[in-house]
């Protein structure tokens, strides 16, 4: 596939070097937004030529996290496609003829310099304040000639011969005309027979018919080398879009070593929704749309983002990674989910935290649905559900009363609980309705009985009246709405819990 097809073809090309970086999702999102808008294709290619940094399970994590984010590809190592294989380590035979051709055409040469010699050379260059770069000791020499000189290794690498008139500027879809520094004689084939990124990326993008290369701004300085390779191979270069790097508030790069939030799996573990993370990553480099009143529309779906996407609107200045903003967006997206959807997304966290078993019963699921409805507006992260849901699934006698909840109980708590118990005894919970699935034990009936007894009867302020009941039922100071919680728990459980706290107070 050498001619550019009519529909654009874009790709993301992560290296499987450990837990996938959030940058991989960010790049995929922008690539995919454009590909989908244009009716083009999006390809996943695994760039695993750096064998020293290769991690076995990393590729699967890339698949899983990108699928989790809904950033799905049309061609890739797992789904195949017309340009297979999509793993660079399986394409070594593909690169070989390209290297031979570059050598034969005089655009590349063998280099036998040992790592020690290269290190010494660099040290001298730095000390004497000369520009650093390969000094071309091997250029124009046969193996025999070179072997006479010091710092020789028997297995050579292949380097590009960067011409004096190398073009150092190029057009970028986001940045306009961009200049890059003069490149060194880049190694394109390593001693282990693997191509370097620079050769492999150009050969693969060319062979896979990639029309737009969208990648991080750290690759701007490599682009002149890539453009040269396209020219030497007689191939048309793609269009370039260099995305701004994600940064911390102090402008440092987001790195997996320093930021837990650089790892894509971290967002899954912490209870972020994929919709919210996509939304957040888009906003990092893209301005929100405006509504009819000129207000920013910061909450949007991938489909909305893709529909109006325009490279010229991408902000080239490194965006600050503000997790507070993500948390806010997450809460907004949580509130937009259908209750059943939210409940099923809570399940893995509730299982992980021991609130529910791996395969809950229908009764447990029905209860979870009812509780989810109560807590949907009270969460920014899915992980926060555990504390809110747990009281509904523990046995009454195992409910822990949190120390802070107990501490804020007033002296009259026992009296309030006794009055509450008496009032609730009178609320009928016997089965009613055609299927016997309804009863008089409803939130409004519970509220009415409790208000009559505590607010009107004892003359208490509602906050003071209901605090002890809330603590008895949930064990917490803050909990889902009280009367609805009591309805879900049912009368026997509610009464047992009120009695239990009252007795514990002595
Ligand atoms: N393998 C490179 C990376 O992980 C891809 C760069 C590119 O998209 O060209 O950064």
């Amino acid at each position: 596939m050498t001619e550019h097809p009519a529909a654009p073809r874009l790709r993301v090309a992560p290296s499987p070097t450990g837990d996938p970086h959030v940058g991989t999702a960010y790049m995929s999102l922008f690539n995919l937004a454009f590909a989908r808008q244009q009716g083009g294709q999006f390809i996943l290619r695994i760039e695993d030529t750096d064998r020293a940094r290769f991690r076995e399970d990393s590729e699967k994590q890339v698949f899983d996290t990108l699928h989790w984010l809904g950033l799905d590809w049309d061609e890739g190592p797992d789904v195949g496609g017309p340009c297979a294989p999509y793993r660079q380590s399986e394409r070594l035979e593909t690169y070989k003829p390209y290297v031979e051709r570059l050598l034969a055409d005089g655009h590349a040469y063998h280099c036998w310099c040992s790592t020690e010699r290269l290190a010494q050379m660099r040290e001298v260059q730095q000390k004497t304040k000369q520009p650093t770069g390969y000094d071309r000791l091997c250029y124009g020499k046969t193996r025999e000639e070179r072997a006479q000189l010091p710092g020789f290794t028997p297995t050579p690498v292949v380097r590009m011969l960067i011409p004096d008139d190398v073009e150092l500027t190029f057009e970028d879809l986001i940045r306009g005309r961009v200049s890059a520094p003069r490149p060194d004689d880049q190694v394109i084939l390593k001693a282990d027979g693997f191509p370097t990124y620079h050769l492999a990326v150009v050969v693969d993008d060319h062979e896979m018919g990639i029309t737009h290369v969208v990648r991080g701004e750290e690759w701007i300085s490599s682009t002149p080398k890539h453009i040269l390779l396209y020219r030497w191979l007689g191939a048309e270069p793609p269009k370039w879009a260099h995305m701004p790097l994600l940064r911390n508030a102090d402008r440092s790069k987001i790195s997996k070593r320093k930021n837990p939030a650089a790892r894509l799996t971290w967002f899954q573990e912490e209870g972020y929704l994929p919709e919210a993370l996509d939304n957040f990553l888009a906003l990092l480099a893209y301005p929100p749309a405006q509504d009819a009143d000129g207000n920013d529309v910061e909450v949007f779906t991938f489909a909305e983002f893709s529909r109006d996407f325009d490279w010229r609107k991408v902000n080239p200045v490194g965006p600050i990674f503000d997790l507070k903003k993500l948390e806010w967006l997450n809460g907004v997206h949580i509130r937009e989910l259908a209750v059943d959807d939210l409940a099923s997304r809570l399940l893995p966290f509730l299982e992980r935290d021991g609130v529910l078993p791996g395969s809950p019963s229908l009764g447990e699921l029905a209860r979870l649905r009812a509780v989810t409805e109560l807590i949907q507006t009270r969460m920014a992260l899915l992980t926060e559900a555990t504390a809110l849901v747990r009281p509904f699934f523990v046995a009454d006698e195992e409910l822990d009363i949190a120390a802070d909840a107990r501490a804020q109980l007033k002296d009259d708590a026992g009296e309030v609980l006794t009055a509450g118990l008496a009032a609730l005894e009178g609320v009928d919970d016997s089965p009613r309705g055609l299927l016997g699935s309804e009863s008089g034990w409803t939130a409004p009936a519970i509220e009415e009985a409790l208000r009559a007894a505590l607010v009107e009867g004892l003359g208490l302020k509602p906050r003071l009246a209901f605090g002890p009941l809330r603590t008895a039922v949930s064990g917490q100071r803050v909990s889902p709405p009280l009367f609805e919680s009591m309805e879900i728990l049912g009368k026997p459980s509610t009464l047992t819990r009120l009695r239990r706290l009252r007795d514990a107070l002595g």
Side-chain angles (χ1 to χ4, degrees), residues 190-210:
K190 294 180 276 187
D192 62 5
F194 277 72
T196 58
Y197 160 71
H198 303 282
L199 180 76
V201 77
V202 168
V203 169
D204 287 345
D205 284 342
H206 166 59
E207 293 230 338
M208 294 180 182
I210 299 301

Side-chain angles (χ1 to χ4, degrees), residues 64-142:
D64 292 349
T65 48
L66 291 183
H67 278 315
W68 173 66
L69 287 164
L71 303 172
D72 302 319
W73 45 97
D74 307 303
E75 299 169 28
D78 53 340
V79 289
C83 307
Y86 292 90
R87 233 176 243 116
Q88 288 186 329
S89 60
E90 293 168 12
R91 299 174 61 79
L92 299 185
E93 290 308 311
T94 307
Y95 309 119
K96 270 199 189 135
Y98 285 93
V99 178
E100 268 144 33
R101 179 167 155 201
L102 292 171
L103 283 166
D105 292 349
H107 293 309
Y109 61 96
H110 285 114
C111 171
W112 293 269
C113 286
S114 63
T115 12
E116 296 75 33
R117 173 177 189 270
L118 293 172
Q120 272 168 12
M121 177 197 74
R122 244 189 317 272
E123 209 184 305
V124 173
Q125 286 170 340
Q126 275 160 359
K127 276 203 186 124
T128 56
K129 306 236 170 343
Q130 295 172 60
T132 49
Y134 183 56
D135 61 4
R136 294 191 174 163
L137 178 66
C138 297
Y139 177 59
K141 293 194 176 63
T142 62

Side-chain angles (χ1 to χ4, degrees), residues 11-15 45 47 197 201 205 213-216 218-219 226:
R11 82 326 184 254
V12 71
S15 300
R45 185 173 69 227
E47 302 209 326
Y197 160 71
V201 77
D205 284 342
V213 166
V214 180
R215 58 185 175 190
E218 72 268 35
W219 299 110
H226 300 175

Side-chain angles (χ1 to χ4, degrees), residues 315-327:
N315 181 357
V317 180
I320 305 286
F321 207 78
D322 174 8
L323 285 175
K324 280 270 153 275
K325 175 84 172 253
L326 173 59
E327 212 172 301

Side-chain angles (χ1 to χ4, degrees), residues 22 80 184 260 384 388:
V22 66
D184 189 14
E384 289 165 8
L388 296 167

